[in-house]
Amino acid sequence: MKRDLRVPAVGAALLGSYPLLIITAVWPRPWPFLALCVVSYAAEIAARRRARPLIDLLSKIYMGVTLRFAIREMAAILLVARTAGTDSPWFAALAVGLFAMHGARAAQTWLALLYNRVLSQLPVLTRNIDAMRIPAPPPDVLVNYKGMRFLYLDMLPVGGAALDAVRGTGHLGAAGAAIGLGLEIAGMIGLLPHLLRVRPLKNRRQVLKAVGKSLGKYRPEVILYFSGPNDSAYQATMWLRPLERIDRPAVVVLRERDMLKVLGETSLPVVCIPVAADLMSFSAFRTARVCLYPSNVGKNIHMLRLQGMRSVFVGHGDSDKEASFNPFTKVYDEVWVAGQAGRDRYLRAQVGVRDEDIHEVGRPQLTGIRACGPGLPYRTVLYAPTWEGWTDDLFHTSIIAMGPEIVRLLLARSPALRVIYKPHPLTGYRNPAAGHAHRQICALLEKAELSRSIARHPAGTARAEPIRHQTVTAPEPALYDCFNQADLLITDISSVVADFIASGKPYMVTNVSGMPEQDFRERYPSAEGGYLLTEDLKELPAVLQALEHGDEDVLAATRRKLKTYLLGLDHPDAMTRFNDAVNRAYDRAGGG
């Protein structure tokens, strides 16, 4: 990848401008000083965008932004002293004005911190709940960047002092300080009403009571409980639509404040309660009898401690990965799986989950997955690798050893193929090598030609068809939308396999470990209906050729049988089975 030469240039301008400012002030050179002021301010702005590691390093060695700005201000004072003399009243006015500006900026920053602290320490945050009114926020300039924007107001006195030295005047620097001080005082005054408006939100008990009262009117009976980093939001989001369609009122409970921003759209009420004590004493949960858990995380213990609620592990997709039969799962009252495969997986693993606690409920998320491709004049291949896992024992991802080469081979095919690349959201989270491979793949797709194939039609005519490859790292388009755009899936052992099999279309599963084929299929039953792909990719050309020519798909019948094993029967449909499972769990909890 090409090195961005702008980064060292910005660093050189930032580090070099300050010593030169002192030199041109002590040995007065007004025009060079003015030019260096422009360079230093521009370098500060550019460095915050392009050279963030340098900014962080300077802060660690006590050369932070405030000190750097003070050095430039000191240079301006030195310049005035050397050109106008220390006896000049404008020299004193500039020095006092700059000092006063720092005091006012500190006061304004303190008020901004107070305001932000009130909002950042709210005991509960909500969505779709009319409980408490958070006043409209002040302009960003008053509360963001810890006062950084106000720090740049010293351009007025510093620039004025430089112009004074150039023109032989003395009032511009002092006037700039007066204007800057006035703006900072105006910022303080403008922030005070907002502080007064959010003051009632400092009462934790009243805020919790207000939200609890509002949610209590809704009388939730089912809870979807989730905790995790932002990149794992998809694990909860996949359950929102099914829960919107069940008979019983449901609520989403989150634990991390930032998760409220990245959780998918939903009409369900959502509450975020970061503190465990607040969660366990929250009154509105008293009517709930079923709690669904999509993920095994440490904070689950806080909700599990609540009495009278049936705990159900629903996971975030059935797969043959070891994470799908985690021993921690035995702490729940029930474990819901899609089909017989999920039940067998737990029983084989012998991790303490009893057969009578396992319930097959289908995958209600898969409604809308089509059994046909996009119908384009060229074939589309979806490459959707899993992530590297928490430990190397769960190392199923192909992205490091095979990913870039898979994409290179797909892009080199003739006739051309369309490639959709959708990596796991946590790719690179633990292993930097996975992140590097991901960036390689993105670069390959960016460089690929968009129009490079000739699509032949039945009449024998030919015309150019643009092929637009796609890298999908945002929540949209969703994985299932990508399924509908694909003629073939290449993926790893993960829940993607089980979900894609709902389409009935062909898929390839990477054998990263190099395990013998028979052993691989026995260990990972979801691979039975797929074509295996070893690290040398020798199997890929034949599968692509069969796809392009419309040859017989020899594993089609196997996939139809496997679909029932993995996802359960088609009738009743998965949404009906899921809804019935919720009702039965509610009755077992004594809520019926």
Side-chain angles (χ1 to χ4, degrees):
M1 299 179 68
K2 291 184 179 179
R3 184 183 179 188
D4 190 348
L5 297 179
R6 291 172 293 185
V7 173
V10 167
L14 180 67
L15 297 176
S17 59
Y18 289 99
L20 292 175
L21 280 169
I22 300 295
I23 293 172
T24 54
V26 174
W27 289 277
R29 297 292 185 272
W31 279 111
F33 183 91
L34 181 59
L36 286 167
C37 284
V38 174
V39 170
S40 64
Y41 281 115
E44 284 285 353
I45 296 172
R48 297 189 71 82
R49 297 175 180 173
R50 299 184 180 277
R52 191 71 217 186
L54 175 61
I55 295 293
D56 295 340
L57 176 61
L58 291 175
S59 296
K60 290 178 182 177
I61 61 174
Y62 305 104
M63 279 291 293
V65 63
T66 302
L67 179 58
R68 295 196 301 274
F69 274 62
I71 291 173
R72 184 168 43 228
E73 294 162 4
M74 181 185 70
I77 293 173
L78 282 173
L79 180 67
V80 173
R82 294 287 289 159
T83 54
T86 56
D87 294 335
S88 170
W90 300 119
F91 169 79
L94 175 65
V96 172
L98 284 169
F99 181 81
M101 284 182 66
H102 276 279
R105 187 182 65 83
Q108 193 279 333
T109 301
W110 176 64
L111 293 177
L113 288 173
L114 288 179
Y115 177 87
N116 289 329
R117 185 178 301 165
V118 171
L119 296 185
S120 66
Q121 294 183 355
L122 283 173
V124 56
L125 300 172
T126 67
R127 191 200 289 183
N128 302 331
I129 299 176
D130 186 17
M132 58 178 181
R133 181 180 175 272
I134 297 180
D140 282 351
V141 69
L142 298 182
V143 291
N144 281 354
Y145 301 104
K146 300 180 181 179
M148 273 296 302
R149 291 176 178 174
F150 278 89
L151 193 60
Y152 282 96
L153 287 175
D154 79 344
M155 286 190 288
L156 298 173
V158 171
L163 288 173
D164 279 334
V166 169
R167 299 176 57 192
T169 57
H171 65 283
L172 295 177
I179 295 171
L181 181 61
L183 291 172
E184 289 177 344
I185 293 173
M188 286 191 290
I189 295 173
L191 195 52
L192 286 173
H194 294 279
L195 269 171
L196 294 175
R197 293 189 193 111
V198 299
R199 189 175 180 181
L201 300 179
K202 294 175 66 175
N203 190 323
R204 296 179 61 87
R205 291 184 61 186
Q206 286 299 109
V207 171
L208 285 166
K209 183 178 179 181
V211 176
K213 182 178 179 180
S214 181
L215 186 59
K217 296 176 182 177
Y218 178 71
R219 297 187 63 81
E221 298 177 354
V222 179
I223 293 174
L224 177 69
Y225 177 93
F226 187 73
S227 171
N230 285 357
D231 288 339
S232 64
Y234 72 96
Q235 298 175 1
T237 296
M238 69 171 58
W239 289 104
L240 298 178
R241 291 295 300 277
L243 286 173
E244 290 172 354
R245 299 170 60 190
I246 62 174
D247 296 335
R248 300 186 181 277
V251 61
V252 181
V253 178
L254 306 175
R255 301 301 308 282
E256 288 76 26
R257 298 177 190 274
D258 288 344
M259 184 59 66
L260 195 66
K261 304 173 186 176
V262 296
L263 185 74
E265 291 296 321
T266 181
S267 60
L268 297 173
V270 183
V271 293
C272 174
I273 308 179
V275 178
D278 295 336
L279 175 79
M280 291 186 286
S281 61
F282 195 59
S283 60
F285 294 156
R286 293 172 184 168
T287 57
R289 292 292 177 268
V290 178
C291 186
L292 309 180
Y293 298 83
S295 180
N296 282 318
V297 293
K299 289 184 181 179
N300 286 7
I301 190 66
H302 301 146
M303 184 63 82
L304 286 167
R305 293 176 63 179
L306 298 186
Q307 297 289 330
M309 201 176 306
R310 196 152 184 87
S311 60
V312 178
F313 182 72
V314 293
H316 49 274
D318 274 21
S319 81
D320 292 323
K321 288 200 293 188
E322 287 80 353
S324 289
F325 46 87
N326 191 320
F328 185 83
T329 312
K330 62 188 174 186
V331 306
Y332 305 101
D333 296 318
E334 300 181 17
V335 177
W336 291 1
V337 297
Q340 181 68 38
R343 179 186 298 274
D344 292 345
R345 194 179 298 124
Y346 276 106
L347 298 181
R348 282 197 308 270
Q350 297 183 347
V351 292
V353 177
R354 298 179 300 179
D355 184 56
E356 58 267 31
D357 294 333
I358 301 173
H359 301 270
E360 300 169 29
V361 302
R363 283 282 282 165
Q365 296 88 348
L366 304 184
T367 303
I369 292 182
R370 298 194 296 265
C372 58
L376 299 172
Y378 44 80
R379 300 299 187 180
T380 299
V381 178
L382 169 62
Y383 177 46
T386 190
W387 74 301
E388 59 270 26
W390 294 111
T391 69
D392 288 335
D393 293 336
L394 309 179
F395 209 77
H396 294 292
T397 183
S398 62
I399 193 168
I400 298 174
M402 305 165 63
E405 196 56 36
I406 288 174
V407 173
R408 284 194 190 94
L409 197 153
L410 293 175
L411 293 175
R413 288 292 297 179
S414 179
L417 299 165
R418 180 189 183 206
V419 179
I420 300 177
Y421 167 56
K422 185 169 178 62
H424 192 286
L426 293 176
T427 298
Y429 188 83
R430 184 185 67 88
N431 190 334
H436 177 69
H438 164 68
R439 290 187 291 274
Q440 281 185 292
I441 294 172
C442 292
L444 286 170
L445 292 172
E446 286 173 4
K447 294 176 183 178
E449 296 176 355
L450 298 181
S451 300
R452 41 183 297 223
S453 70
I454 298 296
R456 295 200 172 273
H457 298 277
T461 59
R463 62 183 176 89
E465 291 286 346
I467 296 182
R468 300 189 176 274
H469 306 295
Q470 189 173 10
T471 297
V472 182
T473 54
E476 298 294 334
L479 177 63
Y480 302 146
D481 295 326
C482 294
F483 284 178
N484 289 336
Q485 289 297 314
D487 297 291
L488 172 71
L489 168 71
I490 300 177
T491 189
D492 308 325
I493 290 298
S494 68
S495 61
V496 174
V497 177
D499 288 350
F500 188 78
I501 206 168
S503 71
K505 292 183 285 190
Y507 61 91
M508 299 191 76
V509 181
T510 62
N511 182 0
V512 183
S513 63
M515 191 181 301
E517 180 174 346
Q518 184 175 350
D519 295 344
F520 187 89
R521 294 187 185 278
E522 288 178 357
R523 180 167 182 174
Y524 306 117
S526 61
E528 183 182 354
Y531 301 92
L532 296 196
L533 184 61
T534 52
E535 190 170 345
D536 58 10
L537 310 185
K538 63 182 180 182
E539 303 87 357
L540 186 54
V543 173
L544 293 178
Q545 184 174 358
L547 180 70
E548 293 159 0
H549 295 167
D551 295 344
E552 181 184 1
D553 183 357
V554 296
L555 292 177
T558 303
R559 285 196 299 278
R560 286 192 291 271
K561 179 180 177 182
L562 186 61
K563 176 183 175 184
T564 301
Y565 179 61
L566 292 176
L567 303 177
L569 299 171
D570 290 334
H571 302 286
D573 62 80
M575 188 61 230
T576 299
R577 283 183 284 153
F578 177 70
N579 183 60
D580 291 345
V582 171
N583 290 332
R584 288 193 296 269
Y586 186 87
D587 293 340
R588 284 191 288 270

